[in-house]
């Protein structure tokens, strides 16, 4: 584990050079890893573990679309694919990758198979951090660990197949065996992390919920919608408004930011763009700061967690979700986006 300086702040970081795959395989050579859930993170993590040579099985509800997807991905019923209870029974490490609502409902089944010395692994700090609301309280004689890839399971798998790694955070909530650190780092390397940075369950879930509702998803959609509408109200065509709002950002500028940072991207834009961006960015910061402060406060006090639990546990959740997504999909902005994407050179 190395100390890395991030803008003057030192953090603990583990790289694949420090903890190579061969060491991870040796660490977990006697372990059976059961990936419970085959939705968002389950496929990417389990397939990467399998391809890296770990002893991994999948636990999923039978007669579900996710079960069928697992079979399509090469998991064999009765050999590497089991119902959730049987997978938990066979495992020494249980990767608990169901949705937050799913974790609450299945917890009694999982808990009874958490015998002494096993490890319970999460990729989100939600269930443990809000344990008073979720009821997820692990036994004292098991390791409780976390690896949280900073992206979707789809991205994790795609980057793995490209020979790249997706950065992940790691945390230890409970070290019952004295092996928790090696277990969590080996698993982080196994699932395809580029490097691992240290956090806590609480910090992970606070930052994750804030980010999802903020710049990663909620805020960016809100800013897109506001700029697009202002352009349309002032006579710009849907194509022009979408290109200036979304397409140029996602296809041209974001790759530059990812490559070398915002200042480098500014330096490689026109002087007019530089001047305007430098003049206006602090106004946007000051305008949105109160919203982010309110958002973080709602996350920290548990209100956002409770809203998620209450909403996602409803029997008609999927139906209502699809209606909300359909409403977004059918807005003029994203209808224009569908046309623009088809016109990209790689699609012609």
């Amino acid at each position: 584990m190395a100390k890395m300086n991030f803008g003057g702040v030192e953090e603990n970081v583990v790289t694949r050079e420090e903890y190579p795959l061969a060491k991870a395989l040796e660490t977990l050579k006697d372990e059976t890893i059961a990936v419970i859930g085959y939705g968002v993170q389950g496929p990417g993590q389990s397939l990467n573990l399998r391809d890296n040579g770990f002893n991994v099985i999948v636990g999923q509800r039978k007669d579900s679309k996710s079960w069928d997807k697992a079979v399509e991905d090469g998991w064999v019923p009765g050999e590497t694919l089991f119902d959730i209870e049987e997978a938990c029974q066979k495992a020494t490490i249980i990767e608990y990758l169901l949705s937050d609502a799913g974790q609450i409902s299945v917890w009694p089944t999982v808990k009874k198979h958490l015998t002494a010395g096993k490890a319970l692994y999460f990729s989100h700090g939600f269930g443990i951090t809000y344990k008073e609301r979720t009821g997820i309280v692990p036994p004292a004689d098991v390791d409780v660990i976390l690896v949280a890839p900073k992206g979707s399971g789809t991205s994790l798998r795609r980057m793995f197949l490209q020979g790249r790694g997706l950065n992940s955070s790691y945390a230890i909530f409970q070290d019952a065996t004295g092996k928790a650190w090696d277990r969590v780092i080996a698993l982080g390397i196994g699932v395809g992390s580029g490097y691992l940075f240290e956090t806590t369950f609480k910090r992970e879930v606070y930052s994750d919920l804030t980010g999802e509702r903020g710049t990663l998803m909620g805020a960016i959609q809100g800013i897109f919608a506001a700029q697009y509408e202002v352009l349309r109200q002032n006579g710009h065509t849907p194509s022009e408004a979408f290109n200036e709002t979304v397409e140029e950002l996602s296809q041209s500028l974001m790759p530059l930011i990812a490559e070398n940072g915002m200042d480098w991207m500014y330096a490689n834009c026109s002087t007019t763009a530089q001047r305007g961006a430098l003049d206006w960015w602090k106004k946007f910061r000051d305008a949105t700061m109160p919203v982010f402060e309110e958002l973080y406060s709602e996350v920290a006090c548990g209100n956002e967690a409770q809203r998620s639990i209450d909403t996602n546990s409803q029997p008609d959740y999927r139906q209502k979700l699809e209606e909300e997504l359909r409403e977004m999909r059918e807005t003029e902005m994203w209808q224009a986006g569908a046309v623009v994407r088809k016109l990209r050179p790689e699609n012609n």
Side-chain angles (χ1 to χ4, degrees):
M1 182 169 58
K3 291 281 188 181
M4 297 291 290
N5 192 303
F6 292 86
V9 178
E10 282 196 341
E11 297 186 38
N12 292 326
V13 170
V14 181
T15 68
R16 290 192 285 194
E17 288 72 28
E18 293 176 85
Y19 209 103
L21 179 59
K23 184 175 180 179
L25 286 165
E26 177 64 22
T27 297
L28 302 180
K29 65 181 180 180
D30 298 323
E31 306 268 21
T32 297
I33 306 163
V35 174
I36 306 302
Y38 210 74
V40 177
Q41 282 288 336
Q45 294 202 30
S46 61
L47 290 170
N48 290 358
L49 284 165
R50 185 179 72 183
D51 289 354
N52 272 333
F54 293 86
N55 182 22
V56 58
I57 60 177
V58 170
Q60 180 56 41
R61 297 179 184 88
K62 290 184 176 178
D63 303 318
S64 66
K65 291 181 180 178
S66 295
W67 176 279
D68 295 339
K69 172 69 164 56
V71 172
E72 290 174 12
D73 287 344
W75 301 100
V76 181
E79 294 182 15
T80 55
L81 176 61
F82 304 90
D83 65 31
I84 289 174
E85 181 147 14
E86 188 171 1
C88 290
Q89 187 176 12
K90 290 177 178 294
T92 58
I93 297 172
I94 297 174
E95 287 203 9
Y96 205 23
L97 301 184
L98 293 169
S99 68
D100 295 324
Q103 287 183 14
I104 295 170
S105 65
V106 177
W107 176 242
T109 299
V110 173
K111 185 177 181 179
K112 68 181 179 181
H113 294 292
L114 282 171
T115 52
K118 287 192 176 186
L120 179 62
Y121 165 113
F122 294 87
S123 284
H124 190 25
F126 191 100
I128 294 292
T129 300
Y130 301 114
K131 56 185 178 294
E132 294 82 5
R133 300 169 188 265
T134 65
I136 297 176
V137 181
D141 54 5
V142 302
D143 294 339
V144 182
I145 55 181
L146 173 146
V147 173
K150 297 298 104 181
S152 70
T154 301
S155 299
L156 181 73
R157 180 62 176 167
R158 184 178 297 158
M159 293 175 74
F160 176 85
L161 293 173
Q162 294 170 348
R164 303 161 61 202
L166 184 64
N167 303 332
S168 302
S169 59
Y170 75 93
I172 298 170
F173 179 77
Q174 189 167 279
D175 183 3
T177 67
K179 301 185 298 182
W181 189 86
D182 274 306
R183 275 173 150 177
V184 75
I185 299 303
L187 287 162
I189 297 300
V191 301
S193 301
Y195 72 82
L196 294 141
F197 62 93
E198 189 176 31
T199 188
T200 66
F201 273 64
K202 180 182 285 189
R203 293 210 314 266
E204 190 283 328
V205 75
Y206 282 17
S207 61
D208 188 72
L209 293 184
T210 300
E212 289 168 349
R213 286 147 182 78
T215 60
L216 301 180
M217 295 173 69
I220 198 70
Q221 166 62 15
I223 291 171
F224 282 165
Q227 179 170 304
Y228 182 89
E229 289 171 21
V230 167
L231 290 172
R232 290 289 286 124
Q233 289 167 6
N234 284 277
H236 298 272
T237 65
S239 176
E240 184 171 56
F242 186 85
N243 271 282
E244 291 294 345
T245 300
V246 179
E247 190 74 354
E248 185 173 353
L249 173 67
S250 63
Q251 298 302 298
S252 175
L253 301 184
M254 289 306 292
L256 298 182
I257 297 169
E259 187 176 342
N260 283 308
M262 185 69 80
D263 60 322
W264 189 88
M265 187 273 283
Y266 275 27
N268 285 273
C269 290
S270 71
T271 54
T272 302
Q274 291 169 8
R275 185 68 269 142
L278 289 167
D279 288 344
W280 279 87
W281 80 263
K282 291 180 182 177
K283 294 184 181 182
F284 282 104
R285 178 199 62 191
D286 295 345
T288 58
M289 184 72 79
V291 180
F292 278 100
E293 289 172 341
E294 179 187 0
L295 167 57
Y296 194 87
S297 176
E298 288 292 284
V299 168
C301 75
N303 287 346
E304 278 299 304
Q306 194 62 52
R307 274 191 283 272
S308 294
I309 292 169
D310 293 343
T311 302
N312 299 350
S313 299
Q314 296 298 315
D316 60 349
Y317 165 68
R318 291 289 175 187
Q319 180 182 343
K320 289 182 177 178
L321 171 66
E322 180 51 39
E323 177 58 28
E324 289 183 275
L325 295 177
R326 183 194 63 77
E327 182 182 346
M328 183 185 297
R329 183 169 60 246
E330 293 182 359
T331 60
E332 184 190 88
M333 180 173 70
W334 290 113
Q335 290 294 300
V339 176
V340 170
R341 287 193 295 275
K342 290 178 182 178
L343 294 173
R344 290 175 185 165
E346 65 267 25
N347 294 327
N348 290 287

